[in-house]
């Protein structure tokens, strides 16, 4: 058990996850249907995100997707493309200070980068809104939002997109 009740573990850390997706080509001829050849398969890798302490639970995050060609994974001997990798940045999710949102707590992994395995990368940075970024309901939730997206590859200079927001997307 933890401070948030028996069901909190299922919210932060799923024990069962989708491990892969298999695409088959089903053929039907003269009334006979085959089981189909695997033409593509995607294997999903998972890890944990967020620095946890005490009775806080880790959250499961998708860390990679590996695509396999004709024949699929095939017990690990299938031909695959470089995996797409996902990394996360632990940012505080809750605050105990209702006016400033300055107290830290319950770090949760926000997507920080995606790499395609061929040298291209998308990186994200986050910020608080100008009003402090806190929803003043209970509990006090940090309202992170994407500040910049940086796209890099092996052929062109980095491209940075900055995001600006006119008002918070939540109501007080």
């Amino acid at each position: 058990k933890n401070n948030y009740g028996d069901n909190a573990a299922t919210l932060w850390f799923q024990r069962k996850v989708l491990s892969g997706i298999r695409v088959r080509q089903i053929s039907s001829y003269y009334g006979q249907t085959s089981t189909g050849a695997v033409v593509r398969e995607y294997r999903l890798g998972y890890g944990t995100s967020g620095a946890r302490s005490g009775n806080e639970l880790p959250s499961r995050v998708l860390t990679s997707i590996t695509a396999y060609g004709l024949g699929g994974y095939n017990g690990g001997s299938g031909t695959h493309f470089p995996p797409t990798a996902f990394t996360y940045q632990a940012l505080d999710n809750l605050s105990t200070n209702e006016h400033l949102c300055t107290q830290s707590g319950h770090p949760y992994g926000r997507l920080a980068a995606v790499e395609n395995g061929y040298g291209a990368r998308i990186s994200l940075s986050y910020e608080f809104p100008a009003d402090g970024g806190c929803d003043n309901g209970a509990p006090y939730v940090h309202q992170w939002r994407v500040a910049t997206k940086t796209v890099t590859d092996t052929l062109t200079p980095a491209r940075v997109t900055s995001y600006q927001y006119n008002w918070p997307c939540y109501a007080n």
Side-chain angles (χ1 to χ4, degrees):
K1 285 188 175 182
N2 57 39
N3 291 338
Y4 307 104
D6 292 338
N7 294 328
T10 58
L11 295 175
W12 294 102
F13 192 85
Q14 304 84 19
R15 299 202 190 299
K16 294 183 179 182
V17 295
L18 180 66
S19 62
I21 300 166
R22 188 173 289 148
V23 180
R24 292 181 179 269
Q25 178 183 5
I26 307 270
S27 59
S28 178
Y29 53 93
Y30 302 110
Q32 303 293 319
T33 302
S34 72
T35 57
V38 176
V39 293
R40 178 83 52 143
E41 186 170 354
Y42 301 92
R43 303 288 286 201
L44 309 178
Y46 296 91
T48 57
S49 178
R52 304 288 184 225
S53 62
N55 60 4
E56 294 178 358
L57 299 168
S59 59
R60 188 182 300 265
V61 293
L62 179 66
T63 57
S64 66
I65 300 175
T66 304
Y68 290 80
L70 189 61
Y73 179 69
N74 196 19
S77 64
T79 302
H80 63 86
F81 301 98
T84 298
F86 303 90
T87 55
Y88 299 84
Q89 176 184 6
L91 297 172
D92 290 327
N93 213 39
L94 298 176
S95 176
T96 56
N97 183 323
E98 66 180 283
H99 300 293
L100 301 176
C101 259
T102 57
Q103 304 297 317
S104 62
H106 307 282
Y108 188 79
R110 268 57 175 199
L111 184 63
V114 179
E115 296 182 52
N116 74 353
Y118 293 99
R121 176 183 174 95
I122 298 173
S123 301
L124 301 171
S125 69
Y126 296 87
E127 68 180 6
F128 280 127
D131 68 354
C134 190
D135 179 358
N136 289 328
Y140 311 108
V141 179
H142 291 290
Q143 300 291 332
W144 294 99
R145 59 190 186 184
V146 174
T148 62
K149 175 181 76 174
T150 304
V151 178
T152 56
D153 60 38
T154 57
L155 302 174
T156 59
R159 293 163 312 281
V160 178
T161 303
S162 296
Y163 297 94
Q164 295 181 342
Y165 303 87
N166 292 329
W167 54 80
C169 62
Y170 55 88
N172 287 335

